[in-house]
Amino acid sequence: MSFSSFKLHPQIAAGVKALGFETPTPIQTQAIPPVLAGKDVMGLAQTGTGKTAAFVLPILERLLPGPRGRVRSLIVAPTRELAEQIHVSIGELGRNTHLKSCTIYGGVGVNPQIQKLRAGVDIVVACPGRLLDHLNQSTINLESVEVLVLDEADRMFDMGFLPDVRRIIKHLPQKRQTLMFSATMPDDIRKLTNEVLHDPITVKVGHTAPANTVSHALYPVEQHLKTALLMELLKQTDTESILIFTRTKHRAKRIGQQLGNAGYKAASLQGNLSQNKRQDALDGFRDGSYQILVATDIAARGIDVLSISHVINYDIPDTTDAYTHRIGRTGRAAKTGDAFTFVCREDEPVIKGIERVLGERIERRILKGFDYTKSAPARDAEFARPPRPPQRPRSKPAQTGASMDAAVRPPARPARPSRGTAHRGAATAAPVQGRRGQR
Ligand code: AMP
């Protein structure tokens, strides 16, 4: 199949050609015809499958002939990065259409957004919170919306956005086309589908299994040797851009710094950064001025850099779905990629789940020439936070922050812990908080 079979308007076909897309991806093949026909569509597809063009192209086709300057399509996405990427795709695919899009999300000034809306846009790509603010302030009018897209619906649910999404939908005309994309189909998303989609066509690619252009390998390693293994692995491997995932913001920052100190062009992307710094890290990664980006799951959502050849899970993700999302960043569209995961003994249960979804056992690799025998330091210095300034003595010490660290850190002991569970605690001196809160 080729793009010509969709009979897109020449102005839109020119955008496809300019991007160098030759063959539609499976989600495009399945979704574009029903969307062009005006049907509601539920697309089960993860990032990296080409789903953005699967909805952007038919939207451009629909909006091309109509009136300009009022919001005729609304795309709701969970993160600013994803919203920006969709906006960029609209600009690229629609370069000859003169249709205008803008992004709406929090963390940046509201006035430039109001000005753009006043000047007139055809497509709005928005994150739920700030969009609701605009609706409450009547600075946006959604009464002309013909096509609504809810992208990465499962992520919106994970991030607690579904109530906001329902509120937003109340501001839209009942008569409209609705498209929903999601990598997974938890019950809450199924419920939302029943509420907001009318007689939908469901299209599905690859289920939640990771894209098969990615090859997977596990590197069993003791926690305290992970950074040394990472350095050796980078030395021995031929790579393009590399995305490294860590479990916490603090670890992302530290590893980014260590890679920088070792001479790599590396940046870290984590939730503590200002919007400007996030953008700088993302832009630098995209244009190649940073070869390595170290990120947490939430910060990395929606990253779209075609040249990512390797995803390295410095820390294993909590869930199989998170693994799928992480490695969906490599092997995008027609490219191939490698996913390397560092695993400790206590990670086995998650590995089992990932292997079940992949339907195969993942190869365990030993890195040649790497010294796996080095014993753990008595105290973890790698991820320890700098000491706090002395505080006035209190009658009873508070069990927070640094003092809590010490409270959970097992006593100094020989290199090989006798039980796997003690292992992670020993090397991660991150404070005891809800894991979610740290990302
Ligand atoms: P997405 O899943 O929408 O984030 O797309 C993943 C990547 O695939 C993006 O960088 C797109 O530019 C690229 N892409 C989308 N469709 C095609 C296609 N038909 N051929 C080649 N690359 C594509």
Side-chain angles (χ1 to χ4, degrees):
M1 183 176 232
S2 76
F3 277 97
S4 58
S5 56
F6 299 134
K7 302 203 167 30
L8 296 169
H9 191 283
Q11 278 166 275
I12 297 165
V16 174
K17 192 158 177 240
L19 280 187
F21 295 179
E22 283 167 11
T23 317
T25 65
I27 188 73
Q28 291 163 0
T29 306
Q30 291 181 55
I32 290 177
V35 182
L36 280 174
K39 292 276 197 190
D40 282 6
V41 168
M42 172 74 221
L44 280 161
Q46 67 202 55
T47 299
T49 52
K51 68 179 164 61
T52 314
F55 61 79
V56 167
L57 288 171
I59 288 175
L60 294 172
E61 190 75 24
R62 176 171 182 150
L63 303 196
L64 189 65
R68 297 293 167 106
R70 59 179 85 149
V71 185
R72 292 173 61 210
S73 180
L74 171 68
I75 299 163
V76 186
T79 63
R80 316 180 250 212
E81 284 77 18
L82 183 61
E84 275 299 335
Q85 275 165 33
I86 297 169
H87 169 68
V88 168
S89 293
I90 294 168
E92 289 172 345
L93 289 167
R95 64 180 73 202
N96 299 314
T97 63
H98 304 292
L99 286 161
K100 284 197 185 134
S101 80
C102 79
T103 50
I104 299 276
Y105 48 71
V108 294
V110 75
N111 286 333
Q113 297 176 353
I114 294 177
Q115 277 159 18
K116 282 197 188 111
L117 290 168
R118 280 212 189 114
V121 291
D122 308 289
I123 306 171
V124 165
V125 191
C127 296
R130 177 61 66 86
L131 177 59
L132 263 184
D133 292 345
H134 279 281
L135 284 164
N136 292 336
Q137 303 293 321
S138 302
T139 43
I140 190 168
N141 182 336
L142 298 178
E143 284 168 8
S144 303
V145 168
E146 296 168 34
V147 190
L148 166 70
V149 181
L150 301 175
D151 196 15
E152 298 205 352
D154 50 351
R155 289 286 145 190
M156 292 209 266
F157 165 61
D158 284 349
M159 294 168 81
F161 283 144
L162 286 202
D164 283 356
V165 168
R166 287 194 168 89
R167 271 179 222 125
I168 290 164
I169 290 175
K170 290 204 178 108
H171 291 262
L172 302 177
Q174 292 247 322
K175 191 172 166 305
R176 57 162 201 268
Q177 183 179 21
T178 306
L179 315 172
M180 185 138 93
F181 288 84
S182 192
T184 57
M185 194 65 157
D187 283 349
D188 293 77
I189 297 302
R190 204 177 296 279
K191 203 162 151 248
L192 185 71
T193 310
N194 294 337
E195 280 167 38
V196 303
L197 298 182
H198 176 70
D199 196 15
I201 307 266
T202 300
V203 298
K204 185 167 155 180
V205 292
H207 189 45
T208 57
N212 58 12
T213 45
V214 177
S215 65
H216 309 256
L218 302 179
Y219 285 86
V221 62
E222 300 255 357
Q223 189 73 249
H224 67 279
L225 293 176
K226 280 183 172 180
T227 304
L229 180 70
L230 175 66
M231 297 295 176
E232 188 58 34
L233 190 59
L234 293 176
K235 226 188 275 168
Q236 295 190 19
T237 315
D238 191 15
T239 66
E240 291 179 48
S241 297
I242 306 164
L243 183 57
I244 298 176
F245 284 96
T246 63
R247 192 164 48 78
T248 65
K249 297 190 269 199
H250 179 59
R251 286 160 80 79
K253 188 172 155 194
R254 285 287 295 129
I255 291 159
Q257 285 165 344
Q258 284 168 290
L259 288 166
N261 294 342
Y264 289 99
K265 291 183 290 172
S268 63
L269 185 72
Q270 30 88 13
N272 282 350
L273 297 180
S274 66
Q275 178 62 16
N276 279 350
K277 290 225 168 98
R278 283 162 77 114
Q279 206 56 51
D280 173 66
L282 273 173
D283 290 346
F285 190 48
R286 208 169 280 139
D287 68 23
S289 35
Y290 296 123
Q291 190 205 355
I292 306 178
L293 190 68
V294 192
T296 58
D297 288 285
I298 286 186
R301 217 158 265 164
I303 286 179
D304 179 15
V305 175
L306 266 188
S307 58
I308 296 177
S309 63
H310 290 73
V311 166
I312 301 178
N313 294 312
Y314 183 96
D315 296 313
I316 196 157
D318 290 341
T319 63
T320 316
D321 269 356
Y323 181 84
T324 305
H325 273 271
R326 284 184 181 185
I327 66 117
R329 313 288 163 216
T330 186
R332 312 201 89 188
K335 286 201 156 208
T336 57
D338 286 294
F340 296 155
T341 303
F342 292 178
V343 285
C344 299
R345 259 165 277 177
E346 67 270 25
D347 299 331
E348 266 313 310
V350 181
I351 296 296
K352 291 246 154 61
I354 294 168
E355 289 179 328
R356 221 172 295 129
V357 169
L358 286 176
E360 62 189 52
R361 189 180 144 80
I362 308 176
E363 182 194 342
R364 270 71 172 165
R365 282 191 196 159
I366 306 289
L367 190 67
K368 263 203 204 135
F370 180 71
D371 180 8
Y372 283 92
T373 60
K374 216 169 152 208
S375 48
R379 243 181 92 88
D380 165 48
E382 188 174 14
F383 295 109
R385 291 168 193 265
R388 294 189 153 196
Q391 289 178 346
R392 282 223 234 113
R394 291 196 207 151
S395 52
K396 206 172 167 204
Q399 285 287 292
T400 55
S403 57
M404 192 74 145
D405 269 8
V408 293
R409 194 178 301 124
R413 49 176 176 64
R416 284 176 188 275
S418 53
R419 280 188 308 144
T421 43
H423 191 197
R424 173 175 276 175
T428 30
V432 182
Q433 284 176 10
R435 273 194 179 184
R436 218 162 238 283
Q438 294 204 21
R439 288 175 181 181

